């Protein structure tokens, strides 16, 4: 079944550790996005990609980095995690054109840095 | 600059009654609008959408109304059910840009 997958669902990690949040989609979507959602509910775009080898920073400044080497894979990396990175991270994808201009979201990764 | 605004952070409605969630936008280039529903610890799921060439779209218990002159849209849920308790996000896009802009979300609570 075509879908978008995020792993891990939950992660508790110590300060200073390097982490990678995985996001993969099997829908053949060319565009992918990372959002950060704090308890205040608002969704903040932190990174997006419109295709392989294309990545851009979003509206909210983030210390994380992303890569897009394959169409289906869009991992997010934090080189040195800090408590301020504690948040929910949501990955999404979409397809250029078509009738539905919406995004399909993954289930998210809840990150806690202690 | 918040281009899409949901001015009510929370809304409480009795089961069986109508829930009305509101959304305002400022960018006149937006021509497609969507509503997403989000449960805690899950990603948002698409609920319903509307193109700017329409003023109403209905899907079961959910209806979205668009007032282009007022730059306002609303989501009506009738009748409201306990499973509707979630955070609802309004989103808008100019289709050529294909980047969604989200509102701040409204937490809907349906009381039995």
């Amino acid at each position: 079944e075509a879908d978008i997958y995020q792993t891990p669902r939950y992660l508790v990690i110590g300060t200073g550790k390097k982490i990678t949040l995985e996001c993969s989609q099997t829908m053949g979507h060319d565009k992918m996005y990372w959002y950060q959602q704090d308890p205040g509910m608002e969704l903040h775009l932190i990174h997006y990609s419109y295709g392989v080898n294309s990545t851009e920073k979003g509206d909210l400044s983030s210390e994380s980095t992303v890569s897009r080497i394959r169409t289906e894979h869009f991992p997010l990396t934090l080189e040195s995690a800090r408590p301020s990175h504690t948040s929910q991270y949501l990955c999404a994808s979409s397809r250029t054109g078509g009738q539905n201009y919406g995004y399909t979201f993954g289930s998210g990764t809840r990150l806690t840095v202690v | 600059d918040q281009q899409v605004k949901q001015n009510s952070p929370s809304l409480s409605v009795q089961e069986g009654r109508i829930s009305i969630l509101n959304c305002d936008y400022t960018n006149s280039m937006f021509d497609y609008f969507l509503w997403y529903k989000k449960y805690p610890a899950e990603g948002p799921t698409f609920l319903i959408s509307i193109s700017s060439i329409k003023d109403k779209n209905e899907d079961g218990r959910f209806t979205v109304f668009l007032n282009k002159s007022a730059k306002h849209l609303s989501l009506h849920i009738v009748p409201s059910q306990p499973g509707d308790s979630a955070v609802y996000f309004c989103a808008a896009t100019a289709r050529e840009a294909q980047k969604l802009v989200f509102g701040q979300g409204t937490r809907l609570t349906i009381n039995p």
Side-chain angles (χ1 to χ4, degrees):
Chain A
E1 181 183 336
D3 209 338
I4 181 165
Y5 306 94
Q6 286 187 248
T7 57
R9 287 293 305 275
Y10 301 91
L11 179 62
V12 181
I13 201 160
T15 297
K17 299 289 187 183
K18 177 179 178 179
I19 57 170
T20 296
L21 308 184
E22 299 290 346
C23 177
S24 294
Q25 50 95 6
T26 58
M27 296 173 284
H29 287 173
D30 51 337
K31 298 182 177 180
M32 297 188 75
Y33 313 83
W34 276 103
Y35 282 85
Q36 183 175 339
Q37 187 191 27
D38 291 327
M41 297 192 303
E42 194 166 349
L43 296 169
H44 296 284
L45 179 67
I46 52 175
H47 297 284
Y48 62 98
S49 167
Y50 284 174
V52 171
N53 293 326
S54 155
T55 61
E56 301 286 345
K57 290 192 177 295
D59 307 319
L60 180 70
S61 176
S62 173
E63 293 166 348
S64 58
T65 59
V66 292
S67 62
R68 188 94 183 274
I69 299 172
R70 291 181 285 136
T71 300
E72 63 271 20
H73 193 215
F74 192 40
L76 180 145
T77 298
L78 276 165
E79 290 293 332
S80 179
R82 295 208 300 268
S84 61
H85 296 139
T86 294
S87 189
Q88 184 178 36
Y89 292 84
L90 295 161
C91 181
S93 69
S94 69
R95 183 169 54 111
T96 301
Q99 292 187 343
N100 182 355
Y101 294 87
Y103 297 174
T104 302
F105 281 87
S107 298
T109 294
R110 170 69 64 184
L111 173 66
T112 303
V113 184
V114 297
Chain B
D1 176 28
Q2 190 72 33
Q3 297 185 70
V4 179
K5 295 182 184 180
Q6 294 175 255
N7 292 316
S8 298
S10 62
L11 177 67
S12 187
V13 174
Q14 197 163 5
E15 183 179 358
R17 299 288 185 103
I18 184 170
S19 296
I20 300 176
L21 296 95
N22 293 303
C23 178
D24 297 295
Y25 62 96
T26 57
N27 190 339
S28 58
M29 298 299 292
F30 288 150
D31 56 7
Y32 198 79
F33 305 88
L34 307 93
W35 284 94
Y36 283 82
K37 176 181 179 180
K38 185 182 186 297
Y39 293 119
E42 292 185 15
T45 54
F46 170 75
L47 197 56
I48 193 169
S49 63
I50 188 166
S51 164
S52 60
I53 62 173
K54 295 185 175 182
D55 54 19
K56 177 183 174 182
N57 188 27
E58 199 170 348
D59 184 3
R61 296 186 298 115
F62 303 91
T63 303
V64 56
F65 295 92
L66 175 62
N67 183 333
K68 289 186 289 294
S69 60
K71 293 191 176 67
H72 177 84
L73 65 156
S74 61
L75 174 68
H76 293 210
I77 306 172
V78 56
S80 300
Q81 298 174 354
D84 296 330
S85 294
V87 176
Y88 289 78
F89 289 96
C90 168
T93 184
R95 273 179 279 191
E96 289 200 1
Q98 290 214 335
K99 198 162 110 180
L100 288 184
V101 179
F102 286 90
Q104 307 95 312
T106 296
R107 186 181 305 279
L108 175 64
T109 303
I110 305 302
N111 302 308

